[in-house]
Amino acid sequence: MSVLGSVVHWFRLDLRVHDNLALRNAINEAENRKNFLRPIYIIEPDILKQIRGNRLRFLIQSLHDLDANLRKLNTRLYIVRGKTSECLPELLKKWNVKYLTLQVDIDPFYIKQDEVIENFCDKNDIFVVKRVQHTVYNPQTVLKKNNGNVPLTYQKFLSLVNDIQVKECIEIKKEISEDCKSSDFNSKSYDVPSLTEIELDESSDFKYPGGESEGLKRLLTYMAKKQWVCSFEKPNTSPNSIEPSTTVLSPYISHGCLSARLFYHKLKQVESEMRHSEPPVSLLGQLMWREFYYTAGTGTENFDRMVGNSLCTQIPWGNNKDHLKAWSEGKTGYPFVDAIMRQLTQEGWIHHLARHMVACFLTRGDLWVSWEEGAKVFEDLLLDYDWSLNAGNWMWLSASAFFYKYFRVYSPVAFGKKTDKDGLYIKKYVPELKKFPSEYIYEPWKAPQSVQRAAGCIIGENYPKRIVDHDKVHKENMKKMSEAYKINKEKKALKRPRSD
Ligand code: FAD
C-alpha cells in the first residue's frame, strides 16, 4: 500500500480534458493534499465482447488520445482491466485513495456501478465527488422546475430552460506537479491497449477517428462555417448524401470527447453575429433535443423498455426473427432501407432522417417488430450510441411516446427519391445494384428480367426479393396501431380518479 494517499478521477463517458470539472477537482485535490493523481479508465471484459468493431475502435482511439492529452498536463491515463465492482474497490484500497471524482452518468449500467462503489467508499471513508457535465443543463434542475415531472414536449422543455444561465466551460491551465506522480507512473501494465491487441484492424483509414482532439477539430471546422451554421435547418439536410449533411459530432459528444456545453457556447457565439435559424430546426435546436431526451431519461423509470415505462404506449409488437435479421443485415429487398443499414454497419453513423426511415420501417411502418429490438441493434452498431437518445428517439419513431401521428409512415420507395433521384447512395452501399438504371433503383423488383440481366443482378438471386409489400402491410399496421391507441386510452381513463 502506498504511504502517500492517492486521488482518483474515474473516466467513463467524459473522455476529455477540456471542460471536465470532475477531473479538475481531482487535480486540485491531489495538489493540495500532496497526493498521487491517478486518472483511470476501467475496461470491463464484457465490454470487449459486447460492443462491435467500430464502436470499440472509436473507444480505444479515444483512450489513446485522452492519455496523450493527460501527458501534456504531466500526468497519464491508468487503464485498469477487470469487473468494476471487483477491481475498483481493490485498487482504492491498494492506492490508499481518500478522494474519488467522477461524472454523473444516467445509463442504468453506470447507476448500478455507482451504487456498489459509493457504498464501498462510504464504508471506507473515501470522499466521492460527482459532477453533472455531460449535458448543458442539469436534468434534475429541469425536472425540479417542472414539479418533478418530465416535460412531455420539446416546447415545454425549452420554456423550462429558457431562464437557466449556462455556466462557462472549465479550463485546466497549468501542468500538474511532479509530486503527484506515483512510483508506478511509467508502468506499462496500465497502458492503453493497441487496436491490434484487441484484434481490430490498425491499418485502415477510418472515417470518424475517435478522440477529444478529433472532436475539437471537427467542432472548430464547423463553427468556422458561420453562414452554414446560421442557416442550418435539419429537415432540409439530406439523409442520403454521400458526405454527411450534418456535423457528425454525435460520436464525440456521446463518448464525452467533446463537451456539449462547449458546443453550446460556440453556437451561441456564432449565432450572436448574424441572423440564424431557430429551434427546433437550428443546430442549437438539435443540441436541445439531446437535452430534452436526457431530461426524459433521467425522470422516467425503465425509459429503455416498453413495459413499466410510464411514457410509453403499450403496443402488441410481433416477433418475426427473420424480419429482424433481414433488417439488421440490410437484406429487406428495399434498397433504400438496406443501404442505410449497411452504411450503419460499415461506418457506424447514419443521418437522423435515415434513422427515421429504418426505425419506422422496422416498427409501425412495415415489419411490426418492437422498437426495443431495433434499439439493441443500434446500440451494437452506432458510434454515437447513447442510452437516453437511443431509447427516446426509438419511442418517437415507433409512435410509442412524444410523437403520436402514427399514420405518418415513411415510404421506403418515395422518401429517398426526394434527395437522391438517381440512387447514388444506394449504388454505393448496395453494390449489387450498381448497374441498375435509376428508373428501378428504389424498386428493383419492378425491373423486367432483361433489365436485371443487363445490370448483372437478378432479384431473388443476387439481391433479395422484398420481404414485405409496403403498400399492403403498412395499412394493416395502421389498423393495429389504431387499436393499440384505443386500448391505451381506455386503460388511462380507467386509472383517472373519478370527479363525482
Ligand atoms: P447534428 O444534426 O449535427 O446535431 C448536432 C447534435 O445535436 C448531435 O451531435 C446530437 O448530439 C444532437 N442531436 C441531433 N439530433 C438529435 C435528436 N433527434 N435527438 C437527440 N439529440 C440530437 N443520437 C445519438 O447521439 N445517440 C443515439 O444513440 C441516437 N439514437 C437514435 C435512434 C433513432 C431511432 C433516431 C431516429 C435518432 C437517434 N439519435 C441518436 C439522434 C440523431 O439521429 C443523432 O444525434 C444525429 O443524427 C447525430 O448526427 P449529427 O451529430 O450530425 O447531428
Side-chain angles (χ1 to χ4, degrees):
M1 185 189 285
S2 3
V3 180
L4 269 182
S6 302
V7 170
V8 165
H9 173 70
W10 177 15
F11 282 105
R12 298 190 306 194
L13 294 180
D14 58 328
L15 303 181
R16 64 174 184 276
V17 164
H18 74 275
D19 196 29
N20 193 331
L21 179 59
L23 173 65
R24 195 177 77 174
N25 289 151
I27 294 173
N28 289 347
E29 202 60 26
E31 295 275 14
N32 292 343
R33 290 170 181 246
K34 302 257 173 288
N35 273 190
F36 299 135
L37 174 72
R38 296 176 195 265
I40 64 165
Y41 183 87
I42 303 173
I43 299 186
E44 293 242 0
D46 282 355
I47 287 290
L48 294 182
K49 283 186 227 140
Q50 267 164 21
I51 64 177
R52 277 219 239 165
N54 277 328
R55 225 175 109 204
L56 189 56
R57 176 204 25 91
F58 192 94
L59 171 68
I60 299 297
Q61 288 175 332
S62 301
L63 294 175
H64 275 286
D65 188 56
L66 178 61
D67 183 45
N69 290 342
L70 285 167
R71 284 179 194 271
K72 287 180 200 153
L73 291 172
N74 201 29
T75 182
R76 65 166 292 181
L77 184 63
Y78 292 74
I79 295 291
V80 176
R81 292 158 198 250
K83 222 173 150 16
T84 302
S85 56
E86 291 159 14
C87 69
L88 189 51
E90 248 171 57
L91 281 179
L92 293 175
K93 266 199 169 156
K94 182 175 150 193
W95 288 340
N96 190 20
V97 175
K98 290 285 163 234
Y99 199 88
L100 170 70
T101 66
L102 65 155
Q103 158 173 302
V104 173
D105 288 315
I106 65 161
D107 179 330
F109 172 79
Y110 295 112
I111 291 182
K112 227 159 96 190
Q113 285 187 348
D114 286 4
E115 274 168 20
V116 177
I117 300 307
E118 285 180 75
N119 203 2
F120 175 86
C121 290
D122 206 30
K123 288 189 186 132
N124 289 275
D125 225 5
I126 301 170
F127 195 72
V128 180
V129 172
K130 289 174 86 174
R131 298 290 184 194
V132 176
Q133 51 184 29
H134 200 41
T135 42
V136 175
Y137 303 103
N138 182 342
Q140 294 291 1
T141 310
V142 184
L143 289 170
K144 214 165 153 187
K145 280 193 88 183
N146 202 33
N147 305 317
N149 300 319
V150 168
L152 294 179
T153 66
Y154 180 80
Q155 288 308 332
K156 176 73 189 170
F157 169 82
L158 287 187
S159 72
L160 292 167
V161 298
N162 192 29
D163 59 354
I164 301 180
Q165 193 69 32
V166 179
K167 291 190 187 122
E168 288 307 314
C169 292
I170 305 294
E171 272 185 77
I172 297 168
K173 286 192 180 129
K174 62 178 179 55
E175 274 194 9
I176 296 149
S177 65
E178 283 292 310
D179 296 346
C180 294
K181 280 184 177 171
S182 57
S183 57
D184 57 4
F185 185 84
N186 292 317
S187 169
K188 292 253 172 256
S189 62
Y190 295 118
D191 281 359
V192 182
S194 65
L195 289 177
T196 29
E197 214 178 308
I198 48 171
E199 292 165 14
L200 287 173
D201 185 5
E202 192 127 24
S203 59
S204 310
D205 215 4
F206 302 112
K207 199 159 179 181
Y208 309 113
E212 175 178 17
S213 306
E214 278 294 329
L216 285 171
K217 197 166 85 186
R218 201 170 181 94
L219 174 72
L220 295 182
T221 305
Y222 276 99
M223 292 306 106
K225 300 183 199 174
K226 295 183 182 178
Q227 192 59 51
W228 183 84
V229 169
C230 289
S231 55
F232 184 96
E233 291 189 350
K234 189 65 163 271
N236 296 335
T237 60
S238 163
N240 44 8
S241 52
I242 301 297
E243 284 310 314
S245 59
T246 55
T247 65
V248 196
L249 286 172
S250 51
Y252 303 94
I253 301 174
S254 293
H255 283 80
C257 299
L258 182 65
S259 151
R261 200 160 48 167
L262 179 64
F263 188 17
Y264 172 91
H265 284 302
K266 291 280 180 204
L267 283 172
K268 278 286 191 192
Q269 198 182 328
V270 174
E271 285 191 349
S272 70
E273 293 171 23
M274 60 181 94
R275 265 169 70 94
H276 55 81
S277 50
E278 296 285 347
V281 296
S282 64
L283 211 41
L284 191 66
Q286 303 314 299
L287 196 53
M288 291 301 111
W289 279 112
R290 181 173 185 270
E291 300 290 314
F292 169 73
Y293 286 122
Y294 258 84
T295 310
T298 303
T300 312
E301 241 180 90
N302 302 316
F303 189 65
D304 59 348
R305 275 175 253 163
M306 179 175 83
V307 175
N309 176 346
S310 59
L311 296 183
C312 186
T313 305
Q314 307 296 301
I315 297 169
W317 300 111
N319 185 25
N320 189 325
K321 295 230 165 11
D322 293 338
H323 280 179
L324 175 63
K325 188 167 183 288
W327 173 83
S328 63
E329 291 177 355
K331 292 181 182 165
T332 66
Y334 280 97
F336 186 39
V337 172
D338 293 345
I340 295 168
M341 291 308 290
R342 293 186 197 189
Q343 184 192 14
L344 174 60
T345 306
Q346 282 168 38
E347 295 170 8
W349 182 89
I350 47 176
H351 185 277
H352 181 60
L353 295 173
R355 297 180 203 210
H356 273 226
M357 177 69 246
V358 293
C360 180
F361 187 86
L362 181 72
T363 57
R364 69 192 156 95
D366 294 77
L367 302 184
W368 199 251
V369 171
S370 163
W371 63 268
E372 288 177 61
E373 295 301 328
K376 277 188 221 153
V377 174
F378 269 29
E379 173 172 358
D380 200 16
L381 297 174
L382 275 176
L383 289 180
D384 62 28
Y385 167 70
D386 179 297
W387 182 77
S388 28
L389 271 53
N390 197 38
N393 275 288
W394 270 100
M395 279 190 268
W396 179 294
L397 260 301
S398 58
S400 299
F402 311 116
F403 171 79
Y404 301 100
K405 294 180 181 159
Y406 61 81
F407 40 85
R408 282 205 190 161
V409 166
Y410 290 94
S411 156
V413 172
F415 185 46
K417 279 187 191 169
K418 282 202 251 170
T419 39
D420 179 21
K421 198 164 55 62
D422 295 328
L424 299 179
Y425 173 80
I426 292 172
K427 291 183 179 186
K428 176 170 163 119
Y429 293 101
V430 188
E432 303 95 293
L433 299 173
K434 204 164 57 194
K435 294 195 182 134
F436 252 73
S438 308
E439 192 185 347
Y440 298 112
I441 192 75
Y442 285 87
E443 299 170 281
W445 60 88
K446 284 192 175 165
Q449 281 293 319
S450 58
V451 173
Q452 296 185 25
R453 266 196 305 277
C457 177
I458 306 296
I459 303 307
E461 280 177 34
N462 311 104
Y463 178 72
K465 284 190 178 148
R466 58 191 174 148
I467 56 172
V468 288
D469 177 347
H470 172 75
D471 290 338
K472 199 164 149 259
V473 290
H474 96 267
K475 285 185 191 134
E476 290 164 9
N477 290 351
M478 290 312 96
K479 284 191 200 136
K480 293 192 233 171
M481 284 300 286
S482 162
E483 187 60 20
Y485 267 46
K486 206 170 123 215
I487 293 172
N488 276 270
K489 207 171 155 190
E490 283 163 5
K491 277 193 187 151
K492 269 193 196 150
L494 279 178
K495 275 191 199 153
R496 225 173 280 138
R498 289 167 56 151
S499 53
D500 52 343

